[in-house]
């Protein structure tokens, strides 16, 4: 019933897959292995989910133990399963390099006329170059995401939904290339919160 979900679907993008996988993981929030698999698979669909690895590692409490080990193992096993396809290529190393260039390298170097972070590309008088501000905010986002592995200590489903939405919104805020198709990434968790 939310138009932006339909826009993403009608645009034939994978922008609805990541939140769908996270919602499935959220439905089984009490299961560390399911959380680990959900974050891994959604993270390799859209990299934004990888920022949720620390947050989702510590439910219901931010403590180390058997639950954290199960979470980490399931995350690693799901990651291996996702990237196993590279070994079907004649040269897996070359396939990994192609994957990196077409995903990570492309996204990092991507220019966008829609972004205030990329105004500097126009070299127009009066338009500030905000790349330094963007980098500072990106570092703060990553640091904050890592801190969520331990803080807050007590976590409820409501708090997990709110923090998940906050991390994903923060990721979108510091992106150079942003598009309305990214709105479904955080919407389910905003609704839950």
């Amino acid at each position: 019933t939310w138009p932006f979900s339909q826009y993403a679907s009608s645009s034939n993008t994978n922008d609805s897959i990541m939140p769908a996988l996270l919602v499935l993981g959220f439905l089984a929030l009490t299961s560390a292995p399911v959380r680990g698999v959900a974050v891994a698979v959604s993270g390799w669909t859209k990299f934004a989910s990888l920022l949720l690895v620390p947050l989702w590692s510590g439910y219901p409490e931010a403590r180390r133990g058997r639950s954290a080990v199960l979470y980490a193992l399931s995350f690693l096993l799901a990651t291996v399963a996702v990237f196993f396809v590279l070994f079907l290529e004649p040269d897996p190393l070359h396939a990994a390099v192609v994957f990196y260039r077409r995903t990570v390298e492309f996204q990092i170097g991507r220019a966008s006329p829609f972004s205030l972070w990329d105004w500097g590309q126009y070299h127009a008088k009066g338009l500030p170059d905000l790349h330094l501000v963007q980098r500072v905010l990106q570092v703060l986002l990553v640091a904050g995401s890592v801190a969520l592995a331990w803080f807050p200590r007590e976590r409820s489903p409501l708090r997990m939904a709110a923090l998940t939405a906050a991390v994903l919104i923060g990721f979108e805020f510091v992106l150079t290339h942003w598009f309305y198709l990214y709105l479904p990434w955080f919407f389910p968790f905003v609704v839950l919160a």
Side-chain angles (χ1 to χ4, degrees):
T1 62
W2 195 52
F4 294 103
S5 297
Q6 184 58 46
Y7 292 157
S9 178
S10 296
S11 298
N12 198 25
T13 69
N14 65 349
D15 290 298
S16 297
I17 297 171
M18 182 263 284
L21 292 167
L22 287 176
V23 167
L24 290 174
F26 198 84
L27 289 173
L29 195 59
T30 58
S31 171
V34 173
R35 282 194 325 268
V37 169
V39 171
V41 176
S42 69
W44 299 122
T45 303
K46 289 288 184 181
F47 296 136
S49 293
L50 296 176
L51 285 174
L52 298 173
V53 170
L55 172 64
W56 282 39
S57 70
Y59 182 82
E61 293 180 17
R63 63 176 178 216
R64 299 288 149 212
R66 183 171 177 244
S67 178
V69 170
L70 286 173
Y71 175 83
L73 284 175
S74 62
F75 180 89
L76 290 173
L77 287 173
T79 297
V80 168
V82 166
F83 285 101
F84 180 76
V85 71
L86 296 176
F87 294 103
L88 300 177
E89 289 288 322
D91 184 357
L93 184 58
H94 173 71
V97 169
V98 170
F99 168 79
Y100 176 81
R101 286 187 182 149
R102 292 186 180 173
T103 57
V104 177
E105 192 174 276
F106 170 75
Q107 291 297 335
I108 290 172
R110 190 174 192 181
S112 179
F114 310 117
S115 174
L116 65 101
W117 304 119
D118 214 18
W119 280 347
Q121 71 176 320
Y122 301 110
H123 305 290
K125 191 171 188 173
L127 289 179
D129 185 352
L130 299 174
H131 280 109
L132 181 60
V133 174
Q134 180 189 25
R135 295 294 178 252
V136 168
L137 292 173
Q138 288 170 337
V139 167
L140 289 173
L141 175 67
V142 170
S145 173
V146 169
L148 288 173
W150 298 278
F151 303 104
R153 303 263 327 143
E154 294 180 19
R155 299 166 191 216
S156 66
L158 176 64
R159 186 172 280 179
M160 290 291 288
L163 290 171
T164 297
V167 168
L168 294 174
I169 290 168
F171 182 85
E172 289 188 27
F173 181 74
V174 298
L175 278 176
T176 298
H177 180 77
W178 184 89
F179 205 51
Y180 63 82
L181 297 174
Y182 302 165
L183 291 171
W185 295 2
F186 63 78
F187 184 72
F189 300 101
V190 169
V191 170
L192 285 171

